[in-house]
Amino acid sequence: MFRRDLLFGGAALLGAAGLAHLGSAMAPHGVQELVVQQATYQLRHQRTAGMVSLSSDAPPPVLYGRQGQEMRFTVRNTLDEYTAMHWHGLRIANAMDGVPYLTQMPIGPDERFAYAFTPPDAGTYWYHPHCMTMEQMAHGLTGVMVIAEAEDPGFDSEEVINLRDFRLDAADAFLPTFTARGAARGGTMGNVQTANWRKGPVYDHSAGSLVRLRVVNTDTTRIYKLYLDGGMARIIAWDGHPVSVELPVPRAGAPLLLAPGQRVDLAVAMPVEEGRQVGLMADLPGQPPRLMAGLRAVGSGPQRDLAELKPLARNPLAQPDLDRAELHEFVFGWTPEGDAPNDGFCGTLGYTFWSINRTAWSGDAATGTTPLAVLERGKSYVLRLRNESPNLHPIHVHGLAFVPIASNRRSLPPLWTDTMLLLKDEVIDIALVADNPGDWAFHCHVIEHQKTGLTGFLRVT
Ligand code: C2O
Ligand code: CU
Ligand code: CU
């Protein structure tokens, strides 16, 4: 059985098939130490060196917490470069958001930083560095966070699938994490697609049982096109938050776009026949459909029905008042070639290609950067996100959740999110209540775009 570390922040859900073992890093008072370190792992044929994880020979573990309960982490940096840890999608205090220079100083070699926060929302979230972001994420440091509902939603088991690519050469050594050509266009794609760092892992679940499948795209670049093969299913949450509308289950020919940073939770009814499988499939350009991960029915149990599940409890999200909302516009596009951003200790790619409102981010460590907008705490806003480029951009806002209300290209279901995929030439209006004070990073989650200008921040005062 594949080894997985399940770290618990309180009495969390147990993983599937009883394969949980308690992480060794649990110190007194519930503080978990997360040691950012070099790792090696066999991703393909041979072991790949130079990976970055939280242990020397395994993917970053799933971090478990519970809605409304405090989580504490000490991040210790054993690399010889800087880092900082960000908790993607969690609406927590600004000082704990992990953005270098904006909310904290980068964590140097041999330094630590104590994070403590209380997730207000249940759901599927994730964590990744926000300093040396390109290098450390591309080399492995992307992990999932599961925040359990205060009340057990009634699944028999769950499975967490962390989708991401690596860029390896024929000898399974890392290729450069990006190319200038990619950074100026759609981003540089990896060539080894993995789920939990494995190629098409298959996980056993009881025949007839109800499984919660949490799928997270933590890749630096790829917009995954996913669908389910076999089994009855329902989409129950999107980007952490329960969905209140019926969404079509993605099937062959009608896949779901899951952009970097986005998550989808599915309720899956396992087949009753032992050995039958439900496949999480990906459409990859120029390739036959790929099994990213499978759920295999084992044993025999009572057949449960999706209808037995009651809807997930809503997260405490403030409803924007659209009649009073103030409009702010943001344009995402190219920028005339400029100076490389001043990223201080947090890594520059050496180019500027992208911009927000025609201004490229001058760098994490640049002095005198000003917010793209100043929002008043408690007020409602509509942000108009305009993509004037032919490339797709998953636009992410830290610390706040928002809901799309209009698009010039499609009808969008009202799904609460923190990361909105903008299609070519698309203009999307999103609405939010500025209810969390602080300076919140606002950027494209294609990391090459983020690091070459498509970054800024919103200030909530
Ligand atoms: Cu998931 Cu600013 O990032
Ligand atoms: Cu984030
Ligand atoms: Cu982008």
Side-chain angles (χ1 to χ4, degrees), residues 328-330 332 356-359 361 369-375 440 442-443 455-459:
H328 288 264
E329 298 204 36
F330 304 91
F332 308 103
I356 303 180
N357 292 346
R358 311 202 198 285
T359 304
W361 178 238
T369 53
T370 51
L372 288 161
V374 179
L375 311 181
W440 299 112
F442 176 46
H443 62 86
T455 296
F457 68 95
L458 304 175
R459 174 167 293 164

Side-chain angles (χ1 to χ4, degrees), residues 271-301:
V272 283
E273 199 185 314
E274 180 154 40
R276 290 262 318 259
Q277 227 175 270
V278 179
L280 175 66
M281 312 295 294
D283 279 337
L284 300 169
Q287 294 180 40
R290 169 88 57 99
L291 176 82
M292 295 305 301
L295 304 177
R296 180 172 49 206
V298 293
S300 60

Side-chain angles (χ1 to χ4, degrees), residues 282-455:
D283 279 337
L284 300 169
Q287 294 180 40
R290 169 88 57 99
L291 176 82
M292 295 305 301
L295 304 177
R296 180 172 49 206
V298 293
S300 60
Q303 182 175 2
R304 295 194 58 197
D305 196 294
L306 289 170
E308 293 171 34
L309 292 168
K310 47 180 187 344
L312 295 172
R314 297 183 44 175
N315 283 325
L317 299 162
Q319 286 295 333
D321 177 353
L322 294 181
D323 295 333
R324 298 218 176 112
E326 188 178 297
L327 177 72
H328 288 264
E329 298 204 36
F330 304 91
V331 178
F332 308 103
W334 282 317
T335 186
E337 204 88 21
D339 293 338
N342 177 3
D343 285 314
F345 293 119
C346 288
T348 170
L349 306 196
Y351 315 92
T352 294
F353 293 125
W354 296 96
S355 62
I356 303 180
N357 292 346
R358 311 202 198 285
T359 304
W361 178 238
S362 52
D364 298 336
T367 48
T369 53
T370 51
L372 288 161
V374 179
L375 311 181
E376 225 178 290
R377 187 174 182 183
K379 279 201 174 169
S380 295
Y381 292 89
V382 170
L383 311 185
R384 180 160 294 161
L385 312 179
R386 180 187 301 277
N387 180 9
E388 60 172 22
S389 82
N391 301 105
L392 279 58
H393 302 284
I395 300 296
H396 174 46
V397 182
H398 286 213
L400 303 164
F402 58 83
V403 63
I405 53 173
S407 157
N408 64 336
R409 291 208 40 195
R410 48 187 167 149
S411 82
L412 286 168
L415 305 180
W416 284 90
T417 177
D418 47 65
T419 309
M420 187 80 232
L421 180 62
L422 281 185
L423 305 178
K424 178 181 192 294
D425 300 321
E426 189 171 33
V427 184
I428 297 182
D429 285 355
I430 62 170
L432 57 80
V433 178
D435 55 1
N436 198 4
D439 285 345
W440 299 112
F442 176 46
H443 62 86
C444 179
H445 226 289
V446 170
I447 307 299
E448 284 155 278
H449 296 171
Q450 175 192 352
K451 294 294 284 184
T452 58
L454 218 161
T455 296

